[in-house]
Amino acid sequence: MSNATLPLPTLKPADYASDQEVRWCPGCGDYSVLAQTKKILAKLGVERNNTVFVSGIGCSSRFPYYMNTYGFHSIHGRAPTIASGLKLARPDLNVWIATGDGDALAIGGNHMLHLIRRNVNLKVLLFNNRIYGLTKGQYSPTTAKGTKTKSSPMGSLDAPMRPLSFALGVGSTFAARSMATDVKHLEYVLERAAKHVGTAFVEIYQNCVIFNDGVFESMSEKDLKADHTVYAEHGKPLVFGKNRDKGIRLNRLVPEIVNVANHPDEILVHDERESTSAQAFLLSNLSQPDFPEPFGVFRAIERDTLDALVYDQIHAAQAAKPDAELQSLLNGSETWVTA
């Protein structure tokens, strides 16, 4: 019998689907995120036995049930903590987080902040429907001001949070946005995120057909999309509109919309590899009705990951004291006995 290692079978998207019934509302954007995630995992040949999806609480947090991989359905807002611990314990694993705008940015905001700043090598899929869907329609940290919900019957008074601004503000090495209904673009962004070394933070707009239906209509409807969205592509000018005649330029440090024909050399060119996050942060703050909503990879840079640094430190400590024992450390000079 030959001892040669047999090649792994080629996997298809369906091979990443579990045997569980998918229980999201008909028409929910989560179906698209699930489909495109399975598609890019198959495309990249990701091993299921080395892949883990971690979630918190919310509609998006059903995700691990539907993947034929390992998974944790954890507790509200704590997916970043559990996923970080897992990655540090098993750096060989391919770790993903599935979370929502409430789970990640309200109760989980502090945990998400430290995950991003530490640059743990894992991927974050933030499903943003701008509402609390699972708990039946309360306003969330990303809900637009003035929105009437079950917890804000006279209209929300909170200024909405911008997830990408948050991520970039704490040092994100990869920040991107896509739309659940734009399947080709979503596939592209997820593939970029999967290949990134470090925390890849992906915000995904997805419609909640029950409690916040139509909130992204101007960005997804065929007749409206061109005038209300702009796609950030590295090395290309930020141009949009049905006739591709509008662009974004900087007037000193202030963005403004101009006619491309009148200002052909002044249109801002997107640079996702900029050493600072200044341009990406500027893009993350553009929103309707004053500006088109930006989509694409806002920032993608290289920086040391926490998990790699931790293991380098462990190996250095082991090399410095190869004969050290754990028990001697526990019984070291800084212990005492109480009466």
Side-chain angles (χ1 to χ4, degrees):
M1 181 180 294
S2 172
N3 292 323
T5 302
L6 295 176
L8 292 172
T10 301
L11 296 175
K12 299 177 181 178
D15 294 319
Y16 292 89
S18 74
D19 60 359
Q20 299 299 300
E21 178 188 359
V22 182
R23 300 183 63 185
W24 287 314
C25 300
C28 176
D30 292 2
Y31 286 96
S32 175
V33 184
L34 178 63
Q36 303 319 310
T37 301
K38 291 186 292 187
K39 188 174 182 179
I40 64 103
L41 291 179
K43 181 179 180 180
L44 298 176
V46 174
E47 291 186 39
R48 291 172 296 178
N49 288 342
N50 287 336
T51 302
V52 186
F53 281 84
V54 183
S55 67
I57 296 297
C59 295
S60 62
S61 295
R62 299 178 184 272
F63 210 89
Y65 293 107
Y66 307 143
M67 295 298 299
N68 188 17
T69 63
Y70 288 100
F72 289 91
H73 188 176
S74 68
I75 54 180
H76 207 182
R78 272 61 177 183
T81 308
I82 293 170
S84 294
L86 176 62
K87 187 65 179 180
L88 288 171
R90 288 288 305 277
D92 57 304
L93 295 179
N94 182 27
V95 182
W96 295 68
I97 293 174
T99 185
D101 45 307
D103 182 59
L105 302 176
I107 191 171
N110 194 47
H111 300 273
M112 185 61 70
L113 180 160
H114 295 296
L115 167 71
I116 296 170
R117 77 171 178 84
R118 288 169 174 152
N119 198 34
V120 183
N121 187 18
L122 51 76
K123 323 306 167 192
V124 179
L125 305 182
L126 190 145
F127 298 57
N128 186 1
N129 55 20
R130 296 182 176 176
I131 202 77
Y132 277 106
L134 185 68
T135 51
K136 307 300 185 286
Q138 300 86 357
Y139 74 91
S140 82
T142 59
T143 300
K145 192 172 183 178
T147 302
K148 293 183 179 181
T149 73
K150 291 183 178 180
S151 57
S152 57
M154 297 178 66
S156 172
L157 301 176
D158 288 3
M161 190 172 184
R162 303 178 190 273
L164 288 181
S165 297
F166 164 78
L168 290 162
V170 296
S172 179
T173 57
F174 184 98
R177 177 189 290 147
S178 191
M179 176 79 72
T181 54
D182 192 345
V183 294
K184 288 296 183 183
H185 187 262
L186 179 57
E187 180 187 347
Y188 163 75
V189 167
L190 292 180
E191 183 175 348
R192 288 285 310 275
K195 293 178 177 178
H196 180 71
V197 179
T199 302
F201 185 91
V202 181
E203 179 187 21
I204 305 168
Y205 285 171
Q206 47 89 219
N207 191 41
C208 176
V209 294
I210 305 299
F211 298 108
N212 209 19
D213 193 25
V215 68
F216 300 120
E217 188 174 63
S218 65
M219 310 171 211
S220 58
E221 292 299 314
K222 184 177 180 180
D223 294 338
L224 302 172
K225 182 178 177 179
D227 287 324
H228 294 91
T229 60
V230 61
Y231 283 83
E233 300 177 79
H234 181 68
K236 295 184 179 181
L238 294 168
V239 174
F240 67 102
K242 291 179 181 178
N243 299 315
R244 304 286 293 171
D245 57 348
K246 291 180 279 188
I248 297 172
R249 74 166 181 180
L250 286 183
N251 184 357
R252 296 184 180 178
L253 294 177
V254 180
E256 61 183 12
I257 297 172
V258 296
N259 185 285
V260 174
N262 296 336
H263 305 275
D265 299 323
E266 299 177 30
I267 308 302
L268 184 63
V269 175
H270 181 51
D271 183 4
E272 66 181 36
R273 301 169 195 160
E274 187 182 42
S275 58
T276 73
S277 60
Q279 190 191 91
F281 192 79
L282 181 148
L283 280 179
S284 73
N285 277 278
L286 301 184
S287 62
Q288 297 185 55
D290 299 319
F291 291 94
E293 203 85 11
F295 290 89
V297 177
F298 288 39
R299 193 181 196 209
I301 64 166
E302 296 180 0
R303 200 178 81 214
D304 289 337
T305 65
L306 177 67
D307 37 308
L309 291 173
V310 166
Y311 271 80
D312 285 346
Q313 192 174 69
I314 290 172
H315 294 150
Q318 291 172 334
K321 295 184 178 181
D323 299 323
E325 296 181 354
L326 177 61
Q327 194 59 46
S328 63
L329 176 65
L330 296 176
N331 295 331
S333 61
E334 295 187 14
T335 61
W336 62 92
V337 178
T338 58

